[in-house]
Amino acid sequence: MAEFQNPDHWDTAAQHYEKTAHPFTARYAEAALARVALTSGSRVLDVAAGTGALTLLAARTGAQVLATDFSPGMIARIAASNLPNVEARVMDGQALALEDASFDAVFSIFGVIMFPGWRKGLAEMARVTRTGGHGVIATWREHGAATFLLLGQIRRKLFPDREGMMMPEAVKALSEPADFARELIAAGYRDPRIEPVTHEYMLDLSALAEPDSLFGMSPDWTSLDATEKDAVITEARQMAGEREFLPIPSTALIAVAQR
């Protein structure tokens, strides 16, 4: 089992993820929400919700939001928000314990793409979307984003003969809009619209003083020895030059489809 498919990994990472990845992924969640009109009467599902970047933003519309994730640690972070219109439940997105056609909008922001059975995850999203409702899915392009993207770039430069981190199968499979659209239609959606969205992840160079906290979620980091890690840090500092922040442009594809 890949590390990112283990709920224990995400339980351990939840608090760190909430502080680092959550604010960045929230920018893409905001872009996803802008593509679907929600009201106080909307029923919304967030699949593989993480610490709730999409959930918390959707709740501001007044919609009733159910956040699901297979990691109890992630769900605990969402539940801690204590919002009256948010419910958080531990649930496998590949087998949602939910009724057919029960949600107006079903989102997965960089979530379903992590599933070993990601096609089943897409089909489950479609199953619980009501007729006329929308499914909204965000995926990274093939080389990932933010610190994962940076580490991959540095590793390919410094250690070209070393195998890097394997991205989840779905990230590669959905990296091109035509492929993404075809998979959404096969899952049960129709008329998919897919657009690239790019934001810059601003890496604070002071964070390199504690690189395990910054990069520790990536096998591209944990597989290195101490000397190699020092070389990566040196390369990142050289890339930044005199700047205090290193911008890392990160592109996602956001798909909206109807049921």
Side-chain angles (χ1 to χ4, degrees):
M1 177 190 293
E3 191 173 40
F4 58 79
Q5 294 171 356
N6 185 346
D8 293 341
H9 167 75
W10 295 106
D11 288 345
T12 301
Q15 187 170 2
H16 176 68
Y17 184 94
E18 186 175 41
K19 292 179 180 178
T20 56
H22 181 129
F24 185 57
T25 58
R27 300 171 72 182
Y28 298 91
E30 186 174 10
L33 283 166
R35 287 158 169 77
V36 177
L38 300 180
T39 70
S40 59
S42 299
R43 292 198 69 207
V44 174
L45 175 64
D46 187 4
V47 176
T51 54
L54 183 285
T55 290
L56 301 181
L57 288 170
R60 294 180 186 176
T61 69
Q64 295 297 313
V65 186
L66 171 60
T68 64
D69 200 285
F70 77 156
S71 162
M74 292 290 191
I75 287 298
R77 305 308 299 177
I78 298 173
S81 66
N82 291 316
L83 294 176
N85 58 330
V86 170
E87 180 185 2
R89 294 169 57 185
V90 177
M91 194 178 299
D92 181 359
Q94 298 162 116
L96 294 169
L98 300 168
E99 294 182 2
D100 294 356
S102 51
F103 293 89
D104 300 297
V106 179
F107 293 83
S108 188
I109 307 302
F110 311 121
V112 71
I113 62 170
M114 309 294 283
F115 295 174
W118 55 272
R119 287 188 174 93
K120 179 60 175 173
L122 290 176
E124 281 290 272
M125 290 180 66
R127 178 182 66 80
V128 301
T129 307
R130 68 165 177 82
T131 301
H134 293 86
V136 187
I137 300 96
T139 182
W140 299 118
R141 300 308 292 263
E142 187 169 349
H143 291 299
T147 54
F148 293 90
L149 179 60
L150 176 66
L151 277 171
Q153 292 171 341
I154 292 176
R155 278 189 62 130
R156 286 190 293 274
K157 177 180 179 179
L158 298 183
F159 319 114
D161 297 328
R162 293 272 297 275
E163 185 176 347
M165 182 183 76
M166 292 294 293
M167 295 297 291
E169 177 187 326
V171 173
K172 184 174 183 178
L174 305 177
S175 261
E176 296 302 326
D179 296 332
F180 201 169
R182 183 172 57 252
E183 294 291 351
L184 288 171
I185 291 169
Y189 285 112
R190 60 185 174 86
D191 301 327
R193 305 187 313 276
I194 300 166
E195 298 176 277
V197 176
T198 301
H199 290 294
E200 286 188 337
Y201 180 87
M202 301 302 291
L203 174 62
D204 185 345
L205 269 292
S206 67
L208 290 173
E210 298 182 7
D212 287 337
S213 295
L214 184 65
F215 299 131
M217 290 179 63
S218 173
D220 265 347
W221 177 256
T222 56
S223 62
L224 300 176
D225 63 29
T227 300
E228 291 167 337
K229 288 179 178 179
D230 287 343
V232 168
I233 295 168
T234 298
E235 178 65 20
R237 293 189 186 281
Q238 290 176 347
M239 291 172 67
E242 299 299 318
R243 295 174 293 184
E244 295 181 1
F245 293 88
L246 176 61
I248 308 170
S250 304
T251 299
L253 293 179
I254 296 180
V256 182
Q258 279 195 296
R259 185 70 171 96

